[in-house]
Amino acid sequence: MTEPRYLAVLDPLGTGAAATLTVQPRSSLAPAYRGAHMTVWVGSGTPVLHGNGQGILIGRLFPKASAREVEALPSSIFLSDGRALINEYWGDYICLCAPSARSELRAIRAPSGTLPAYRIRQGPVTYLTSHIEIALDQGLIRPAIDWQ
């Protein structure tokens, strides 16, 4: 399995931040989810589970009761505001929830923390990415040397 690569734009106020972002070809990311308040791009080979328009899970998910990998994202995760994810499943993942009834967004990272998740805030918009290089390529951050 290839190392998961992703970039997510969480835009609860609908500022259009994702529309102004031009994903650079060298990052090798393709659209995986587009909603009113959230857009997600993933790299080739990155495991993804879709949540019927309510969000996306990047990574691998297993029920605690068995070792069989989940193939479809259970609706109980969204109905419980993510609590079912922590209580009933394990794996290496980040789950991005965007319930259609409200503009509240949730990013739930696996407690193991093995799947990287870098967070960048710009005003009301939050960017999440698996690799700092993706943020650099997109111009979301500028490196600076602290000479002090």
Side-chain angles (χ1 to χ4, degrees):
M1 183 177 91
T2 60
E3 184 179 4
R5 295 176 55 82
Y6 66 88
L7 172 64
V9 180
L10 285 65
D11 187 1
L13 301 181
T15 66
T20 63
L21 192 64
T22 304
V23 175
Q24 300 299 317
R26 69 176 169 243
S27 65
S28 302
L29 300 176
Y33 179 90
R34 190 175 309 270
H37 301 283
M38 184 172 67
T39 303
V40 180
W41 295 268
V42 298
S44 175
T46 297
V48 171
L49 296 174
H50 291 274
N52 295 326
Q54 295 186 75
I56 185 171
L57 184 134
I58 301 163
R60 301 177 67 202
L61 187 66
F62 301 87
K64 287 183 178 177
S66 75
R68 175 175 276 168
E69 188 169 354
V70 172
E71 295 179 9
L73 200 54
S75 60
S76 63
I77 291 170
F78 301 105
L79 294 173
S80 68
D81 287 331
R83 285 184 300 280
L85 185 62
I86 302 298
N87 294 333
E88 300 170 21
Y89 299 92
W90 66 275
D92 295 329
Y93 60 82
I94 183 164
C95 186
L96 304 169
C97 306
S100 56
R102 45 182 197 222
S103 63
E104 180 179 316
L105 304 171
R106 292 185 191 270
I108 304 167
R109 185 174 172 209
S112 67
T114 56
L115 184 65
Y118 295 97
R119 181 177 65 113
I120 301 154
R121 292 284 314 256
Q122 292 181 357
V125 180
T126 299
Y127 299 89
L128 297 170
T129 186
S130 57
H131 292 75
I132 203 71
E133 295 85 6
I134 294 172
L136 286 166
D137 287 347
Q138 303 309 317
L140 299 174
I141 58 173
R142 288 196 313 247
I145 298 173
D146 182 358
W147 295 104
Q148 300 296 324

